[in-house]
Amino acid sequence: MNYSRRGIEKKRNELHAKMPKFTNALGAGFYKAMIIVFVTAVLAGAFAGVGVFRGILVTAPDISTIDVRPTGYSSAVYDSDGNQMTKLVATNSNRIYQTIDKIPIDMQHAFVAMEDERFYEHNGIDIKGIARSAYIVLSTRDMSQGASTITQQLIKNSVFEKWASGESKFEKIKRKIQEQYLAIQLERQEGVTKESILELYLNTINLGQNTLGVQAAALRYFGKNASDLNLSEAAVIAAITSNPSRYNPISHPDNNATRRAIVLEKMLEQGYITDQTYAEAMADDPYERIQKVNQQTEENSINTYFVDAMVQEIMDDFQEKLGYSETQAYNMLYSGGLQIFATQDTKIQNLCDEVTGDPDLYPEKTEYLLDYRVTGVDKDDKVQNFSSQMMEMYFKEQGRNGYDRLYASEEDARADAEKYKEYLEGQGYSIEAETISITPQPQISLSIMDQHTGYMKAVVGGRGKKEASLTLNRATDTKRQPGSTFKVVSAYAPAFDTGVRTLGSVEVDEPYSYANGRPVSNWYSSGYKGPVTLRYAIEQSMNIIAVKTLTAITPRVGYEYLLDFGFTTLVDNEVLSDGTVMSDVQQALALGGITHGVKNYELNAAYATIADAGVYRQPVFYTKILDHDGNVLIDNTALPGRQVLKESTAWLLTSAMEDVVTKGTGASVNFGTQKIAGKTGTTTGENDVWFAGYTPYYTCTTWAGYDNNKKMYDKAQQRLARTVWRAVMEPLHEGLPEKDFVKPSDITTATVCNKTGMLASSYDAAIGTAHSEYYRIDTVPSQTCSGVHTYNYICSLTGQAASETCPFRVAGTPAAPGWCPHSLDEFGNPRVDAVPTVNTLSSNNVLTMGGGEENGDIGAVDPAMMAALQAQQAAAAAAAQAAAAAAQAAAAPPP
């Protein structure tokens, strides 16, 4: 710098010059203004930032209104022995809450080490973690790095679970700030501890395979409770949480193994495990165990027929008893964390599944029914659905007139489905969806109930592989015609109960017509059996006698009894769309001729009523339901029964049905170690075959038939219901003590005539028409048979009157005028004289050529056999006359 006088002067002049002064002044003012603006901007930004920050906090949920407890729990189903059968799970509800004391300490430490290593030190947020995350964000602009503590993750999973994955950066920052704020607030709440936060967190997190929480994950991956997991297994689960898809130990075991190693390393670094336990865990291979459990889980993921039926019953009960809507009922059942105690006896169910799953149980030449449905879109984008019936019509139009969708093999069925699909594509349809089901035929169903409680013990809804849950259940959903099983419950039970008829009552098996004029046909091909007792009619399943019995009490009475037996599928006055009125209150009710058919388990419950001394018990599939907090929602443990029949009536029916099993149409079910009572059932054309029967222990009903209602011509198919019944019930009763059906005190015996139903005379005893029968004490006959049995005789072929020369003569009432062409006079010419009102014979001349439904048809009576019978009758009459004369001489007073 120039410090000379001249230099100093020059500087002074510059300072005092006008323009430089102005310039310098302006420059100084500008800098001052800039400083002020900057400071103002900084302050404004700060205040704005504070305002925005305060706004974010203000819009955060109020901590006092937040419930961080997890919602949505799977419901557990337990069998009659208390063993878990299955779980009912909706999406995002597969959670089983586990308290912290039941979660292994190694698992707790594994999550803390991996997710929040300073969890036990911070107040809800991790300052060090936030600083690390901020540095990464600023240096790499990668906002995927978290620093979320376990408390924050709990808040996120509970409060912010619905935040969209496509949120903006500001929204992400806003959510993160609110998470941190609420995490601090949560940890300040009274009663909230680190243990309680960790417990909630470990029950909330998504751990893949539709599992939420460590207990559900432990069961899904290892098939055991979380409390039983070792360190290696706990590390597998802890490794999943950051990305449940990428680290899924089933689908990506290698990724999980890498992550698992990191979990164990962090646990070692943070002092949770020793070098030795680390080495042992690293040496373990848990993934082979996981794959085995997964295979078993997938095999059991489809609900059984029993569980399907139970689910439907619970859904109905929730709506009817608790007033839920259908949606509320579903959510409660699948997401309410219920404890459901089923009535199923797993040992019995497994036996039924094993027996009915054995291919050797079924007749040869199993057929396969094809059900194929297609959704197609045509060239105009119109959607068209094509049913199995439409496919059936197509193949018939192609010349396959007898086509019924039945095949000799599954491969043939699939080939035809492909042909039909190709045809639709050739018609210009783009196939959008297709459903194919191939089921073995004939099909079966089975129900087993403990008649003393109403508890269903086992259900089989069909044979063959069950492809999905809530599919067709032939035991509880399908309605089939009950055939002759209905004779007992619609006709004989009401007749005995009202006292209109007894086991000893006699009806004549003869040509007989319904009120509308249509003839009633017996199941046997020809002939009639004449006068028979109702016991014998039940034993041999005689159609005409059953219809006559129902007619005597009126179809209305029979119908009302059936309603009391619990049948829900009957109709009184149903109007169809075409105006046709359908009613089951008619005579065909006696033979099971009803509008819609019956369900297997309802028919089973009706027979269980007879087995349990006339008390109807509603069939139930569960005993009790507890909510998530252990409160009882519904209790079925002791539902009251309904007395439908007198105890004596039930025992008398049982006595008759024991004869069905020992010497009648159901003899093939008799396995000999228990008392058995039951009834066969066959519909016209052998479309449906049944056996409903019981022991003192259980009631079981079996059905067999084709799903498409095809007739069963093969004898093995016709006997299939009885075959299945015995195959299940015989091993079920192994080791059980033999019991008798308990006889009521108002049952007595009487010797009666089997031709009139009256008390037997000495003449009946002499000619063999007397027998002993059981009666309710107030229904014992009061009149004694005269010893003279008078009947009309008819030709079983023509229904006209018949003389001794007719080889087809049976007792009965003529249904047509005149003599039959087989009735000849003494010159061998057809008789033309008047038909007498009655004929007198000392015993019935009916020949029975077979033992009923099981053993064959009744045969025609040939002349030689008729002659032999007449000779026997003459001899019996002579013997009776001699016995009477001797008795008279003995009774004469001495001279």
Side-chain angles (χ1 to χ4, degrees):
M1 188 172 181
N2 187 358
Y3 288 101
S4 65
R5 182 175 180 179
R6 183 180 292 181
I8 293 172
E9 187 67 28
K10 182 179 179 182
K11 186 65 178 175
R12 184 184 298 118
N13 290 337
E14 289 176 356
L15 290 174
H16 289 278
K18 290 185 177 181
M19 284 300 295
K21 284 184 179 180
F22 176 78
T23 302
N24 291 337
L26 182 62
F30 174 76
Y31 288 126
K32 289 179 181 179
M34 288 299 294
I35 291 171
I36 292 171
V37 168
F38 175 75
V39 171
T40 302
V42 169
L43 291 174
F47 284 121
V50 170
V52 170
F53 185 76
R54 287 180 60 83
I56 290 174
L57 298 186
V58 168
T59 58
D62 187 346
I63 189 65
S64 65
T65 64
I66 290 175
D67 187 354
V68 293
R69 291 175 301 177
T71 59
Y73 299 91
S74 63
S75 295
V77 181
Y78 303 92
D79 67 13
S80 59
D81 291 326
N83 302 309
Q84 183 170 316
M85 295 163 48
T86 189
K87 291 192 301 181
L88 302 177
V89 183
T91 303
N92 297 327
S93 295
N94 189 11
R95 177 186 290 110
I96 304 170
Y97 198 91
Q98 200 81 329
T99 56
I100 196 70
D101 59 298
K102 294 181 180 178
I103 299 174
I105 193 66
D106 280 339
M107 176 169 280
Q108 298 177 39
H109 291 160
F111 277 94
V112 169
M114 196 67 186
E115 298 297 316
D116 187 1
E117 62 182 279
R118 285 174 287 276
F119 171 69
Y120 293 108
E121 302 167 9
H122 61 62
N123 65 346
I125 62 174
D126 183 2
I127 300 299
K128 291 182 179 180
I130 292 173
R132 176 181 58 80
S133 178
Y135 173 77
I136 294 174
V137 169
L138 292 174
S139 60
T140 65
R141 296 185 179 181
D142 179 8
M143 297 188 66
S144 64
Q145 296 297 318
S148 289
T149 64
I150 283 176
T151 312
Q152 285 179 246
Q153 291 183 52
L154 176 61
I155 293 291
K156 178 181 177 180
N157 292 334
S158 305
V159 181
F160 300 109
E161 60 181 347
K162 298 187 185 302
W163 278 64
S165 58
E167 58 188 345
S168 66
K169 290 183 178 180
F170 175 75
E171 289 170 334
K172 288 181 179 179
I173 293 172
K174 176 182 177 182
R175 172 174 58 78
K176 184 65 69 174
I177 292 172
Q178 289 182 337
E179 278 179 16
Q180 294 169 346
Y181 170 71
L182 292 175
I184 295 172
Q185 295 296 313
L186 178 62
E187 294 214 3
R188 290 176 178 174
Q189 293 292 300
E190 183 177 356
V192 175
T193 65
K194 289 292 185 179
E195 277 197 344
S196 64
I197 290 173
L198 186 58
E199 177 179 309
L200 292 169
Y201 169 77
L202 293 175
N203 282 283
T204 304
I205 47 177
N206 178 5
L207 292 169
Q209 295 294 131
N210 192 32
T211 63
L212 298 172
V214 295
Q215 173 68 359
L219 291 170
R220 180 63 183 86
Y221 296 120
F222 296 102
K224 54 186 176 181
N225 293 320
S227 58
D228 297 325
L229 297 183
N230 60 33
L231 172 61
S232 170
E233 294 163 342
V236 167
I237 292 177
I240 299 171
T241 184
S242 64
N243 192 322
S245 175
R246 178 183 300 171
Y247 298 120
N248 185 315
I250 293 174
S251 56
H252 299 94
D254 292 341
N255 292 349
N256 183 275
T258 301
R259 185 79 173 172
R260 168 178 162 273
I262 296 173
V263 172
L264 292 171
E265 288 171 7
K266 284 183 174 289
M267 292 182 72
L268 179 62
E269 291 170 1
Q270 295 171 35
Y272 290 121
I273 57 176
T274 64
D275 289 333
Q276 180 179 348
T277 53
Y278 168 79
E280 290 172 352
M282 287 296 295
D284 180 44
D285 180 10
Y287 299 100
E288 183 177 347
R289 300 195 295 275
I290 290 173
Q291 293 301 327
K292 288 181 179 179
V293 171
N294 181 58
Q295 183 177 358
Q296 295 170 357
T297 302
E298 289 183 345
E299 290 174 354
N300 298 327
S301 62
I302 296 173
N303 287 341
T304 64
Y305 287 113
F306 188 100
V307 172
D308 283 352
M310 183 200 69
V311 164
Q312 188 57 59
E313 182 177 64
I314 294 173
M315 287 288 291
D316 292 342
D317 286 352
F318 277 174
Q319 294 172 74
E320 294 172 10
K321 296 181 179 180
L322 302 183
Y324 291 175
S325 68
E326 185 175 357
T327 299
Q328 290 172 327
Y330 179 89
N331 290 337
M332 176 60 79
L333 180 57
Y334 287 94
S335 304
L338 308 178
Q339 296 181 68
I340 302 169
F341 297 91
T343 59
Q344 176 183 287
D345 185 316
T346 300
K347 294 186 290 295
I348 298 177
Q349 184 67 62
N350 289 342
L351 169 65
C352 293
D353 292 340
E354 180 182 353
V355 169
T356 58
D358 183 0
D360 293 337
L361 178 71
Y362 301 97
E364 296 180 354
K365 298 180 181 178
T366 291
E367 296 182 281
Y368 296 88
L369 180 65
L370 171 63
D371 181 17
Y372 184 56
R373 288 165 287 173
V374 179
T375 298
V377 179
D378 64 14
K379 296 176 181 178
D380 298 324
D381 290 332
K382 293 182 179 179
V383 176
Q384 174 71 48
N385 293 317
F386 299 91
S387 66
S388 292
Q389 288 69 31
M390 296 170 73
M391 178 186 68
E392 189 171 322
M393 290 175 58
Y394 164 74
F395 282 118
K396 287 181 178 178
E397 291 170 356
Q398 300 303 305
R400 292 161 66 172
N401 296 327
Y403 179 71
D404 54 7
R405 294 186 289 120
L406 287 167
Y407 297 84
S409 69
E410 292 187 59
E411 292 74 19
D412 291 344
R414 294 187 185 278
D416 262 2
E418 191 62 31
K419 287 180 184 178
Y420 185 59
K421 178 180 177 180
E422 292 173 358
Y423 160 73
L424 294 177
E425 290 174 334
Q427 297 297 306
Y429 287 97
S430 173
I431 305 302
E432 295 294 310
E434 58 182 324
T435 302
I436 185 169
S437 174
I438 302 173
T439 53
Q441 303 291 325
Q443 270 293 335
I444 58 126
S445 67
L446 175 150
S447 302
I448 296 181
M449 175 196 279
D450 179 345
Q451 61 259 24
H452 307 295
T453 60
Y455 293 174
M456 296 297 297
K457 291 300 178 182
V459 162
V460 176
R463 61 182 284 209
K465 184 179 180 181
K466 193 172 186 288
E467 300 288 350
S469 298
L470 297 176
T471 53
L472 177 66
N473 191 334
R474 297 169 186 83
T476 59
D477 300 335
T478 303
K479 296 182 283 260
R480 303 290 298 214
Q481 294 298 321
S484 296
T485 60
F486 242 40
K487 292 172 182 173
V488 171
V489 289
S490 69
Y492 297 119
F496 295 171
D497 206 51
T498 57
V500 174
R501 293 288 187 272
T502 67
L503 283 176
S505 296
V506 172
E507 290 282 1
V508 179
D509 183 30
E510 59 184 338
Y512 186 77
S513 297
Y514 293 115
N516 62 9
R518 181 166 61 91
V520 180
S521 300
N522 274 324
W523 57 263
Y524 29 87
S525 59
S526 63
Y528 299 90
K529 299 188 178 185
V532 296
T533 65
L534 296 197
R535 175 185 285 275
Y536 183 77
I538 294 171
E539 173 195 308
Q540 295 299 319
S541 194
M542 300 171 69
N543 291 352
I544 289 171
I545 306 302
V547 175
K548 283 188 171 186
T549 302
L550 179 64
T551 303
I553 61 170
T554 74
R556 171 60 64 181
V557 170
Y559 177 83
E560 295 297 332
Y561 266 84
L562 289 171
L563 296 182
D564 278 347
F565 274 121
F567 291 102
T568 63
T569 57
L570 304 178
V571 298
D572 188 349
N573 189 31
E574 181 178 290
V575 181
L576 303 183
S577 58
D578 62 358
T580 303
V581 179
M582 305 298 295
S583 175
D584 293 331
V585 187
Q586 35 83 24
Q587 290 169 293
L589 186 67
L591 307 182
I594 55 179
T595 305
H596 298 302
V598 299
K599 299 177 181 179
N600 180 309
Y601 84 118
E602 290 188 350
L603 181 62
N604 195 58
Y607 272 76
T609 301
I610 304 171
D612 191 33
V615 177
Y616 171 78
R617 301 186 187 279
Q618 178 184 339
V620 293
F621 290 86
Y622 68 93
T623 58
K624 189 181 293 185
I625 300 177
L626 307 182
D627 68 14
H628 186 248
D629 297 320
N631 302 308
V632 177
L633 292 179
I634 299 178
D635 190 346
N636 288 338
T637 52
L639 291 180
R642 180 174 69 240
Q643 194 77 42
V644 174
L645 301 174
K646 297 178 178 66
E647 187 176 355
S648 55
T649 302
W651 189 88
L652 292 168
L653 291 168
T654 297
S655 176
M657 288 191 285
E658 285 185 273
D659 288 353
V660 172
V661 173
T662 56
K663 54 186 176 181
T665 59
S668 64
V669 307
N670 189 4
F671 50 83
T673 62
Q674 286 291 340
K675 294 290 192 296
I676 302 171
K679 183 69 187 71
T680 53
T682 307
T683 59
T684 303
E686 312 284 347
N687 299 92
D688 301 274
V689 293
W690 299 82
F691 189 80
Y694 50 89
T695 69
Y697 293 96
Y698 299 105
T699 302
C700 176
T701 296
T702 52
W703 164 87
Y706 278 78
D707 283 338
N708 65 345
N709 220 30
K710 177 185 175 181
K711 298 181 187 299
M712 294 187 292
Y713 297 104
D714 181 80
K715 286 293 183 184
Q717 291 181 343
Q718 294 170 6
R719 294 175 179 149
L720 183 54
R722 282 169 276 166
T723 301
V724 173
W725 196 94
R726 176 168 178 166
V728 168
M729 292 290 274
E730 184 171 9
L732 174 57
H733 287 80
E734 285 181 2
L736 294 178
E738 183 176 2
K739 288 184 180 180
D740 287 323
F741 296 108
V742 179
K743 184 170 68 174
S745 60
D746 60 344
I747 294 293
T748 188
T749 59
T751 302
V752 293
C753 171
N754 61 17
K755 301 304 175 185
T756 64
M758 301 178 184
L759 292 173
S761 65
S762 58
Y763 182 73
D764 289 307
I767 66 172
T769 56
H771 73 286
S772 180
E773 185 55 271
Y774 290 107
Y775 291 89
R776 192 173 72 230
I777 198 165
D778 61 339
T779 61
V780 176
S782 58
Q783 293 181 308
T784 301
C785 178
S786 65
V788 178
H789 310 136
T790 58
Y791 306 101
N792 291 329
Y793 288 97
I794 61 172
C795 175
S796 63
L797 298 184
T798 68
Q800 298 170 291
S803 70
E804 291 83 352
T805 62
C806 176
F808 309 109
R809 190 174 76 153
V810 297
T813 303
W819 294 95
C820 74
H822 318 102
S823 297
L824 308 178
D825 59 21
E826 64 269 25
F827 304 108
N829 299 316
R831 291 184 63 163
V832 294
D833 55 317
V835 176
T837 303
V838 295
N839 291 302
T840 302
L841 192 66
S842 60
S843 63
N844 185 11
N845 70 333
V846 180
L847 292 181
T848 302
M849 305 296 291
E853 288 176 310
E854 181 175 33
N855 298 322
D857 295 334
I858 190 168
V861 181
D862 61 43
M865 296 181 71
M866 179 60 72
L869 177 61
Q870 290 172 337
Q872 292 174 2
Q873 293 168 344
Q881 291 173 354
Q888 185 175 9

